[in-house]
Amino acid sequence: MRWDNLRLTGPDQDDPAAPLFARGAVTRTFDTPEFKGMTFYEIRARSIINRVPAASRVPFEYTINPYRGCSHRCIYCFARKTHEYLDLDAGADFDSKIVVKVNAAELARKELASPRWGGHHVRGRFPIAMGTNVDCYQRAEGRYRLMRGILSALRDAANPFSILTKGTLILRDLDLLTEAAEVTEVGANVSVGFVDPEMWRAVEAGTPDPRRRLEVCARLNDNGIACGVLMAPILPYLTDSPGQLERTVKEIAGSGATHIAPIVLHLRPGAREWWLSWLSREHPRLVPRYLELYGRGAYAPKAYQQRITSQVKELAERFGVGRATPAMARRLPPRPAPAPPPPEQLRLL
């Protein structure tokens, strides 16, 4: 089972009928407004660096995910299905019941030091990606502070990595990011699919304002951490009009993003049901159009994706954003060679 690395100790650890998250996990709630209605399950994981299955359509091989579930509450989140493996539902439970791997930093340091790891560095790629399943800088990180220990371990191992986030909390760790960038490759991306405030409140209720995310992008770039934007997801019939695409790309350009990678919404099981349920309540007239667009699977037809990608590419060129693809969105350009020392000037005696 893919989630067997979540080792939970306690009296029910040998009971196969016990929910995985409940086997000895420490359950916590916090009486603060930002965590109202939320439950945290603190567990000790067996491992933290995960290898991505070869069949996955992603441009990285290894990930670190210190959390399961996400308080960002993005209705479309593709990771919702993973909560079902923990005997939780892919809807409200995913938004409010968060699994916290409290020993994530300790494991990261241990596994990075293992001779079996050795960095696994492949030229031109980042071997460890973070924020690829759920956001590592969601609100829980403000309390648990797992990323500081993880980043310290990556820095000390000089192991290249990348981070994708919708959170602004990444700026708390700017010191560690810049220190790591002195010894290895560090890349960052913020996710901003649209800048429409009404749509943001409707489908990404737990995230910072898209414009605040773009401020994060600017701040990271100002401090030498190359940061681009995953323009994702672009929502068919909701945020894909020419005017909406233009406004979004223009604001991304204004952030100084190093690149832009447009990605059209995809609806995997779990996310598909949650999204269509929301759509039937808020935009019932669009349900038939979505069933037509996504009737054959999780991805919109290639012709539609290519049309959107072409529009974004033209806009990016017009507004001066660097050209990118989703695979390039986690890469940094090669570092320039250090300048040679100035020639020694002879002294006349």
Coordinates of all heavy atoms in Angstrom, one line a residue, residues 259-314:
H259 N 9.2 32.6 -15.4 CA 8.6 31.8 -16.5 C 7.1 31.6 -16.1 O 6.7 31.9 -14.9 CB 9.3 30.4 -16.6 CG 9.4 29.7 -15.3 ND1 10.7 29.6 -14.7 CD2 8.6 29.1 -14.5 CE1 10.5 28.9 -13.5 NE2 9.3 28.6 -13.4
I260 N 6.3 31.1 -17.0 CA 4.9 30.9 -16.8 C 4.6 29.6 -17.4 O 5.0 29.3 -18.6 CB 4.1 32.0 -17.3 CG1 2.6 31.8 -17.0 CG2 4.3 32.2 -18.8 CD1 1.7 33.0 -17.4
A261 N 3.8 28.7 -16.7 CA 3.5 27.4 -17.3 C 2.0 27.2 -17.1 O 1.5 27.0 -16.0 CB 4.2 26.3 -16.5
P262 N 1.2 27.4 -18.2 CA -0.3 27.2 -18.1 C -0.7 25.8 -18.0 O -0.2 24.9 -18.8 CB -0.7 27.9 -19.4 CG 0.4 27.7 -20.4 CD 1.6 27.8 -19.6
I263 N -1.6 25.5 -17.1 CA -2.1 24.1 -17.0 C -3.6 24.2 -16.9 O -4.2 24.8 -16.0 CB -1.5 23.4 -15.8 CG1 0.0 23.3 -15.9 CG2 -2.1 22.0 -15.7 CD1 0.7 22.7 -14.7
V264 N -4.3 23.5 -17.8 CA -5.8 23.4 -17.7 C -6.2 22.5 -16.6 O -5.6 21.5 -16.4 CB -6.3 23.0 -19.1 CG1 -7.8 22.8 -19.1 CG2 -6.0 24.1 -20.2
L265 N -7.3 22.8 -16.0 CA -7.9 21.9 -15.0 C -8.0 20.5 -15.4 O -8.4 20.2 -16.5 CB -9.3 22.4 -14.7 CG -10.2 21.5 -13.7 CD1 -9.7 21.7 -12.3 CD2 -11.6 21.9 -13.8
H266 N -7.5 19.6 -14.5 CA -7.8 18.1 -14.8 C -8.5 17.6 -13.6 O -8.3 18.0 -12.4 CB -6.5 17.3 -15.1 CG -5.4 17.5 -14.0 ND1 -4.4 18.4 -14.1 CD2 -5.2 16.7 -12.9 CE1 -3.6 18.3 -13.1 NE2 -4.0 17.3 -12.3
L267 N -9.4 16.7 -13.8 CA -10.4 16.2 -12.8 C -10.2 14.7 -12.6 O -10.8 13.8 -13.3 CB -11.8 16.5 -13.3 CG -12.2 17.9 -13.3 CD1 -13.6 18.1 -13.9 CD2 -12.1 18.6 -11.9
R268 N -9.3 14.4 -11.7 CA -9.1 12.9 -11.3 C -10.2 12.5 -10.3 O -10.9 13.3 -9.7 CB -7.7 12.8 -10.7 CG -6.6 13.1 -11.6 CD -5.3 12.9 -10.9 NE -4.2 13.4 -11.7 CZ -2.9 13.5 -11.3 NH1 -2.6 13.1 -10.0 NH2 -1.9 13.9 -12.0
P269 N -10.4 11.2 -10.2 CA -11.4 10.7 -9.2 C -11.1 11.3 -7.8 O -10.0 11.5 -7.4 CB -11.1 9.2 -9.2 CG -10.6 8.9 -10.6 CD -9.7 10.1 -10.9
G270 N -12.2 11.6 -7.1 CA -12.1 12.3 -5.9 C -12.3 13.8 -6.1 O -13.3 14.4 -5.6
A271 N -11.4 14.4 -6.8 CA -11.6 15.8 -7.2 C -12.7 16.0 -8.2 O -13.5 17.0 -8.1 CB -10.3 16.4 -7.8
R272 N -12.9 15.1 -9.0 CA -14.0 15.2 -10.1 C -15.3 15.3 -9.4 O -16.1 16.2 -9.7 CB -13.9 13.9 -11.0 CG -15.0 13.9 -12.1 CD -14.9 12.6 -12.8 NE -15.8 12.6 -14.0 CZ -15.5 12.9 -15.2 NH1 -14.3 13.3 -15.5 NH2 -16.4 12.9 -16.2
E273 N -15.6 14.4 -8.4 CA -16.9 14.4 -7.8 C -17.1 15.6 -7.0 O -18.2 16.2 -7.0 CB -17.0 13.1 -6.9 CG -17.0 11.8 -7.6 CD -15.7 11.3 -8.0 OE1 -14.7 12.0 -7.6 OE2 -15.5 10.2 -8.6
W274 N -16.1 16.1 -6.2 CA -16.2 17.3 -5.4 C -16.4 18.5 -6.3 O -17.2 19.4 -5.9 CB -14.9 17.4 -4.6 CG -15.0 18.3 -3.4 CD1 -14.3 19.4 -3.1 CD2 -15.9 18.1 -2.2 NE1 -14.6 20.0 -1.9 CE2 -15.6 19.2 -1.3 CE3 -16.9 17.2 -1.8 CZ2 -16.3 19.4 -0.1 CZ3 -17.5 17.4 -0.6 CH2 -17.2 18.5 0.2
W275 N -15.7 18.6 -7.4 CA -15.8 19.7 -8.3 C -17.2 19.8 -8.9 O -17.9 20.8 -9.0 CB -14.7 19.7 -9.3 CG -14.9 20.7 -10.4 CD1 -15.5 20.6 -11.6 CD2 -14.5 22.1 -10.3 NE1 -15.4 21.8 -12.3 CE2 -14.9 22.7 -11.5 CE3 -13.9 22.9 -9.3 CZ2 -14.6 24.1 -11.8 CZ3 -13.7 24.2 -9.5 CH2 -14.0 24.8 -10.7
L276 N -17.7 18.6 -9.5 CA -19.0 18.6 -10.1 C -20.1 18.9 -9.2 O -21.1 19.5 -9.6 CB -19.2 17.3 -10.8 CG -18.3 17.0 -12.1 CD1 -18.5 15.6 -12.6 CD2 -18.5 18.1 -13.2
S277 N -19.9 18.5 -7.9 CA -21.0 18.8 -6.9 C -21.0 20.3 -6.7 O -22.1 20.9 -6.6 CB -20.6 18.1 -5.6 OG -21.5 18.4 -4.6
W278 N -19.9 20.9 -6.6 CA -19.9 22.4 -6.4 C -20.4 23.1 -7.7 O -21.2 24.0 -7.6 CB -18.4 22.9 -6.2 CG -18.3 24.4 -6.2 CD1 -18.5 25.2 -5.2 CD2 -17.9 25.2 -7.3 NE1 -18.3 26.5 -5.6 CE2 -17.9 26.5 -6.9 CE3 -17.6 24.9 -8.6 CZ2 -17.6 27.6 -7.7 CZ3 -17.2 26.0 -9.5 CH2 -17.3 27.3 -9.0
L279 N -20.0 22.6 -8.8 CA -20.5 23.2 -10.1 C -22.0 23.1 -10.2 O -22.6 24.1 -10.7 CB -19.8 22.5 -11.3 CG -19.7 23.2 -12.6 CD1 -18.8 24.4 -12.5 CD2 -19.3 22.3 -13.7
S280 N -22.6 22.0 -9.8 CA -24.0 21.8 -10.0 C -24.8 22.8 -9.1 O -25.9 23.2 -9.4 CB -24.4 20.4 -9.6 OG -24.2 20.1 -8.3
R281 N -24.2 23.2 -8.0 CA -24.8 24.1 -7.1 C -24.6 25.6 -7.6 O -25.6 26.4 -7.5 CB -24.2 24.0 -5.6 CG -24.5 22.8 -4.9 CD -24.2 22.9 -3.4 NE -22.8 23.4 -3.2 CZ -21.7 22.6 -3.1 NH1 -21.9 21.3 -3.2 NH2 -20.5 23.1 -2.9
E282 N -23.4 25.9 -8.0 CA -23.1 27.3 -8.3 C -23.2 27.7 -9.8 O -23.5 28.8 -10.1 CB -21.6 27.6 -7.9 CG -21.4 27.3 -6.4 CD -22.2 28.2 -5.5 OE1 -22.5 29.4 -5.9 OE2 -22.6 27.7 -4.4
H283 N -23.0 26.7 -10.7 CA -23.1 27.0 -12.1 C -23.7 25.8 -12.8 O -23.1 25.1 -13.7 CB -21.7 27.2 -12.7 CG -21.0 28.4 -12.1 ND1 -21.2 29.7 -12.4 CD2 -20.0 28.4 -11.1 CE1 -20.4 30.5 -11.7 NE2 -19.7 29.8 -10.9
P284 N -25.0 25.5 -12.5 CA -25.6 24.3 -13.0 C -25.6 24.2 -14.6 O -25.5 23.1 -15.2 CB -27.0 24.3 -12.5 CG -27.2 25.7 -12.0 CD -25.9 26.2 -11.6
R285 N -25.7 25.4 -15.2 CA -25.7 25.4 -16.7 C -24.4 24.9 -17.3 O -24.4 24.5 -18.5 CB -26.0 26.8 -17.2 CG -24.9 27.8 -16.8 CD -25.1 29.2 -17.3 NE -24.1 30.1 -16.9 CZ -22.9 30.2 -17.6 NH1 -22.7 29.5 -18.7 NH2 -22.0 31.1 -17.2
L286 N -23.3 24.9 -16.5 CA -22.0 24.4 -17.0 C -21.8 22.9 -16.9 O -20.9 22.4 -17.5 CB -20.9 25.1 -16.3 CG -20.7 26.6 -16.6 CD1 -19.5 27.2 -15.9 CD2 -20.6 26.9 -18.1
V287 N -22.7 22.2 -16.1 CA -22.4 20.8 -15.9 C -22.4 20.0 -17.2 O -21.5 19.2 -17.4 CB -23.5 20.3 -14.9 CG1 -23.4 18.7 -14.8 CG2 -23.3 20.9 -13.5
P288 N -23.4 20.2 -18.1 CA -23.4 19.4 -19.4 C -22.1 19.7 -20.2 O -21.5 18.8 -20.8 CB -24.6 19.9 -20.1 CG -25.5 20.4 -19.0 CD -24.6 21.0 -18.0
R289 N -21.6 21.0 -20.1 CA -20.4 21.3 -20.9 C -19.2 20.6 -20.3 O -18.3 20.2 -21.0 CB -20.3 22.8 -20.9 CG -21.5 23.5 -21.6 CD -21.3 25.0 -21.6 NE -20.4 25.5 -22.6 CZ -20.1 26.7 -22.9 NH1 -20.7 27.7 -22.1 NH2 -19.3 27.1 -23.8
Y290 N -19.2 20.5 -19.0 CA -18.0 19.9 -18.3 C -18.1 18.4 -18.6 O -17.0 17.7 -18.8 CB -18.0 20.1 -16.8 CG -17.1 21.3 -16.5 CD1 -17.5 22.6 -16.6 CD2 -15.8 21.1 -16.0 CE1 -16.7 23.7 -16.3 CE2 -15.0 22.1 -15.7 CZ -15.4 23.4 -15.8 OH -14.6 24.5 -15.5
L291 N -19.3 17.8 -18.6 CA -19.4 16.4 -18.8 C -19.0 16.0 -20.3 O -18.4 15.0 -20.5 CB -20.8 15.9 -18.6 CG -21.3 15.9 -17.1 CD1 -22.7 15.5 -17.0 CD2 -20.4 15.0 -16.2
E292 N -19.2 17.0 -21.2 CA -18.8 16.8 -22.5 C -17.2 16.9 -22.6 O -16.6 16.1 -23.3 CB -19.4 17.8 -23.4 CG -19.0 17.7 -24.9 CD -19.7 18.7 -25.8 OE1 -20.5 19.5 -25.3 OE2 -19.4 18.8 -27.0
L293 N -16.7 17.9 -21.9 CA -15.3 18.2 -22.0 C -14.5 17.1 -21.3 O -13.4 16.7 -21.8 CB -15.0 19.6 -21.3 CG -13.7 20.3 -21.8 CD1 -13.7 20.6 -23.2 CD2 -13.6 21.6 -21.0
Y294 N -15.0 16.6 -20.2 CA -14.2 15.6 -19.4 C -14.9 14.2 -19.4 O -14.7 13.4 -18.5 CB -14.1 16.1 -18.0 CG -13.2 17.3 -17.8 CD1 -13.7 18.6 -17.9 CD2 -11.8 17.2 -17.7 CE1 -12.9 19.7 -17.8 CE2 -11.0 18.3 -17.6 CZ -11.5 19.6 -17.6 OH -10.7 20.7 -17.5
G295 N -15.7 14.0 -20.4 CA -16.5 12.7 -20.5 C -15.6 11.5 -20.7 O -16.0 10.4 -20.3
R296 N -14.4 11.7 -21.2 CA -13.6 10.5 -21.5 C -12.4 10.4 -20.6 O -11.6 9.5 -20.7 CB -13.0 10.7 -22.9 CG -14.1 10.6 -24.0 CD -13.5 10.6 -25.4 NE -14.5 10.6 -26.4 CZ -14.3 10.5 -27.8 NH1 -13.0 10.6 -28.2 NH2 -15.2 10.5 -28.6
G297 N -12.3 11.2 -19.6 CA -11.2 11.0 -18.6 C -11.0 12.3 -17.8 O -11.8 13.2 -17.8
A298 N -9.8 12.3 -17.2 CA -9.5 13.4 -16.3 C -9.0 14.7 -17.0 O -9.0 15.7 -16.4 CB -8.4 12.9 -15.3
Y299 N -8.6 14.6 -18.2 CA -8.0 15.7 -18.9 C -8.9 16.2 -20.0 O -9.6 15.4 -20.7 CB -6.6 15.3 -19.5 CG -5.6 14.9 -18.5 CD1 -5.5 13.6 -18.0 CD2 -4.8 15.9 -17.9 CE1 -4.6 13.3 -17.0 CE2 -3.9 15.6 -16.9 CZ -3.8 14.3 -16.5 OH -2.9 14.0 -15.5
A300 N -8.9 17.5 -20.2 CA -9.6 18.1 -21.3 C -9.0 17.7 -22.6 O -7.8 17.4 -22.7 CB -9.6 19.7 -21.1
P301 N -9.8 17.8 -23.7 CA -9.2 17.4 -25.0 C -8.0 18.1 -25.3 O -7.8 19.3 -25.0 CB -10.4 17.7 -26.0 CG -11.6 17.6 -25.1 CD -11.2 18.1 -23.8
K302 N -7.1 17.5 -26.0 CA -5.8 18.1 -26.4 C -6.0 19.4 -27.2 O -5.2 20.4 -27.0 CB -4.9 17.1 -27.1 CG -4.3 16.0 -26.3 CD -3.4 15.2 -27.1 CE -2.7 14.1 -26.2 NZ -1.8 13.2 -26.9
A303 N -7.0 19.4 -28.1 CA -7.2 20.6 -28.9 C -7.5 21.8 -28.0 O -7.0 22.9 -28.2 CB -8.3 20.3 -29.9
Y304 N -8.3 21.6 -27.0 CA -8.6 22.7 -26.1 C -7.4 23.1 -25.3 O -7.1 24.3 -25.2 CB -9.7 22.2 -25.1 CG -10.0 23.3 -24.0 CD1 -10.9 24.3 -24.2 CD2 -9.4 23.2 -22.8 CE1 -11.2 25.2 -23.3 CE2 -9.7 24.1 -21.8 CZ -10.6 25.1 -22.0 OH -10.8 26.1 -21.1
Q305 N -6.7 22.2 -24.8 CA -5.4 22.5 -24.0 C -4.4 23.3 -24.9 O -3.8 24.2 -24.4 CB -4.8 21.2 -23.5 CG -5.6 20.5 -22.5 CD -4.8 19.3 -21.9 OE1 -3.7 19.5 -21.3 NE2 -5.4 18.1 -22.0
Q306 N -4.3 22.8 -26.1 CA -3.3 23.5 -27.0 C -3.8 24.9 -27.3 O -2.9 25.8 -27.4 CB -3.2 22.7 -28.3 CG -2.4 21.4 -28.1 CD -2.5 20.4 -29.3 OE1 -3.2 20.7 -30.2 NE2 -1.8 19.3 -29.2
R307 N -5.1 25.1 -27.5 CA -5.6 26.5 -27.8 C -5.3 27.4 -26.6 O -4.8 28.5 -26.8 CB -7.1 26.4 -28.0 CG -7.7 27.8 -28.2 CD -9.1 27.7 -28.8 NE -10.0 27.0 -27.9 CZ -10.7 27.5 -26.9 NH1 -10.5 28.8 -26.6 NH2 -11.5 26.8 -26.1
I308 N -5.6 26.9 -25.4 CA -5.3 27.8 -24.2 C -3.8 28.0 -24.0 O -3.4 29.2 -23.8 CB -5.9 27.1 -22.9 CG1 -7.4 27.0 -23.0 CG2 -5.4 27.8 -21.7 CD1 -8.1 28.3 -23.1
T309 N -3.0 27.0 -24.2 CA -1.6 27.1 -24.1 C -1.0 28.2 -25.1 O -0.2 29.0 -24.8 CB -0.9 25.8 -24.3 OG1 -1.3 24.9 -23.2 CG2 0.7 25.9 -24.2
S310 N -1.5 28.1 -26.3 CA -1.1 29.0 -27.3 C -1.4 30.5 -27.0 O -0.7 31.4 -27.2 CB -1.7 28.7 -28.7 OG -1.2 27.4 -29.1
Q311 N -2.7 30.7 -26.5 CA -3.1 32.0 -26.1 C -2.2 32.6 -24.9 O -1.7 33.7 -25.0 CB -4.5 32.0 -25.6 CG -5.6 31.8 -26.7 CD -7.0 31.8 -26.1 OE1 -7.5 30.7 -25.8 NE2 -7.6 32.9 -25.9
V312 N -1.9 31.7 -23.9 CA -1.1 32.1 -22.8 C 0.4 32.4 -23.3 O 1.0 33.4 -22.9 CB -1.0 31.1 -21.7 CG1 0.0 31.5 -20.6 CG2 -2.4 31.0 -21.1
K313 N 0.9 31.6 -24.2 CA 2.2 31.8 -24.8 C 2.3 33.2 -25.5 O 3.2 33.9 -25.3 CB 2.6 30.7 -25.7 CG 3.9 30.8 -26.4 CD 4.2 29.7 -27.3 CE 5.5 29.9 -28.1 NZ 5.8 28.9 -29.1
E314 N 1.3 33.5 -26.3 CA 1.3 34.8 -27.0 C 1.2 35.9 -26.0 O 1.9 37.0 -26.2 CB 0.1 34.8 -28.0 CG 0.2 33.8 -29.2 CD -1.0 33.8 -30.0 OE1 -2.0 34.6 -29.7 OE2 -1.1 33.0 -30.9

